[in-house]
Amino acid sequence: MLRCGRFSLPLDFPLLMGVVNITPDSFSDGGQFLSAQAAIAQAERLVSEGAAILDLGAESTRPGSAPVSEDEELARLLPVLEALQGLEVPVSVDTRRARVMREVLAAGASMINDIEALSGPGSLEAVAASGCGVCLMHMQGAPATMQVAPHYDDVVAEVGAFLAARAAAVESAGISRDRIVVDPGFGFGKTVAHNLELLRYLPRMAVSGLPVLAGLSRKATLGTLTGRPAVERMPASIAAALLAAQRGATILRVHDVAATRDALAVWRAVEAG
Ligand code: HH2
């Protein structure tokens, strides 16, 4: 079970985390859900399609993106978060700032998804003071420059060691293991070859037996493999999600919930036989 505030999520079959980007500039859906009304409608739609978790983001972290101010991030998040409190699924917030974490947790967020793995000032404390779930993600560098020249001697070993170290730090800050998920951070300071290697050896990311989240949906690596722009990457995204599920991912962070759910239903039926 994964504990996320008032929710306990079973981890025996992959869960879908539906992405809602309340941004003008996210790489695949920027501008589509910038108004609170559009974001709320999209969140409700993803839940009706089978999302077990929603992930709200108000700052794009695509390669080369510019940071937004904390006030702007909160102004985008809070009205949407408040409107979603009646839904029976946990709402995660994708943020790397402690003040944003504190305010969204007070407003009912059940999970913090941090691409900096709670390494920012005050982030550990903000999460430790609540009962929320947390996703610890690996990133090499920072979004503005992370794709310039990513380098690893052994990407699988290095990302795994980083996640193990962060999980240990987070646990010793008083955040229990049943609240922690780890994520190799596909596309965050990684070449196509690095991303493929991480997917191939995904089971090695389950450091200390922790559940693994995989986010490959619509990412540039899939564009390189297929020659398609972000809006045409759904079939490749479904294939990637299924491959991650087969390699033990327990949460799949996706934009296309209904289609991914159908693919998982076929996989599940075959496995059950
Ligand atoms: N990927 C993105 C953002 N947040 N969080 C986790 N834990 N794992 C990921 O792989 C991940 C993430 C990037 O995707 P998206 O939110 O669609 O784009 P943008 O950052 O441009 O808003």
Side-chain angles (χ1 to χ4, degrees):
M1 285 286 196
L2 174 68
R3 214 152 56 77
C4 291
R6 65 190 171 94
F7 298 91
S8 283
L9 300 177
L11 296 174
D12 47 349
F13 188 73
L15 301 173
L16 298 181
M17 172 185 256
V19 181
V20 183
N21 285 316
I22 318 164
T23 62
D25 58 343
S26 286
F27 78 94
S28 80
D29 57 359
Q32 274 187 56
F33 312 115
L34 183 56
S35 77
Q37 199 185 12
I40 294 161
Q42 176 66 358
E44 289 171 345
R45 178 179 157 188
L46 295 181
V47 171
S48 73
E49 291 177 351
I53 311 175
L54 289 168
D55 191 36
L56 303 183
E59 178 188 52
S60 173
T61 48
R62 72 183 194 288
S65 58
V68 297
S69 74
E70 281 184 3
D71 287 341
E72 178 62 26
E73 202 183 343
L74 282 163
R76 291 176 187 173
L77 288 167
L78 290 175
V80 179
L81 184 58
E82 278 154 21
L84 298 179
Q85 288 312 299
L87 290 181
E88 268 315 297
V89 300
V91 180
S92 158
V93 173
D94 187 341
T95 185
R96 42 196 178 141
R97 290 157 164 160
R99 184 183 140 218
V100 177
M101 292 176 191
R102 283 194 301 274
E103 296 205 21
V104 298
L105 289 168
S110 297
M111 182 167 183
I112 296 296
N113 171 22
D114 184 3
I115 63 164
E116 293 182 358
L118 302 186
S119 64
S123 297
L124 262 182
E125 294 77 4
V127 169
S130 87
C132 70
V134 62
C135 178
L136 306 174
M137 198 196 80
H138 174 273
M139 168 167 63
Q140 184 178 83
T145 52
M146 65 191 177
Q147 290 307 108
V148 175
H151 173 80
Y152 303 83
D153 291 325
D154 179 341
V155 67
V156 174
E158 289 169 46
V159 172
F162 170 87
L163 294 175
R166 287 311 298 158
V170 164
E171 265 194 87
S172 48
I175 298 164
S176 57
R177 295 177 55 73
D178 59 353
R179 296 170 54 195
I180 306 172
V181 176
V182 293
D183 177 353
F186 290 103
F188 286 85
K190 281 130 193 149
T191 62
V192 173
H194 294 143
N195 289 320
L196 292 175
E197 182 117 335
L198 286 167
L199 180 54
R200 207 170 281 131
Y201 296 104
L202 197 66
R204 286 179 51 193
M205 296 301 113
V207 290
S208 327
L210 290 170
V212 174
L213 183 151
L216 285 143
S217 187
R218 303 182 182 173
K219 285 192 175 167
T221 288
L222 304 179
T224 304
L225 298 178
T226 59
R228 295 193 182 275
V231 291
E232 293 175 13
R233 292 178 195 156
M234 182 169 76
S237 300
I238 293 169
L242 203 54
L243 289 163
Q246 288 177 323
R247 286 163 173 75
T250 40
I251 301 181
L252 303 168
R253 183 181 182 278
V254 300
H255 301 84
D256 302 292
V257 169
T260 314
R261 186 186 177 201
D262 286 359
L264 289 179
V266 175
W267 176 59
R268 179 179 218 167
V270 171
E271 292 295 305

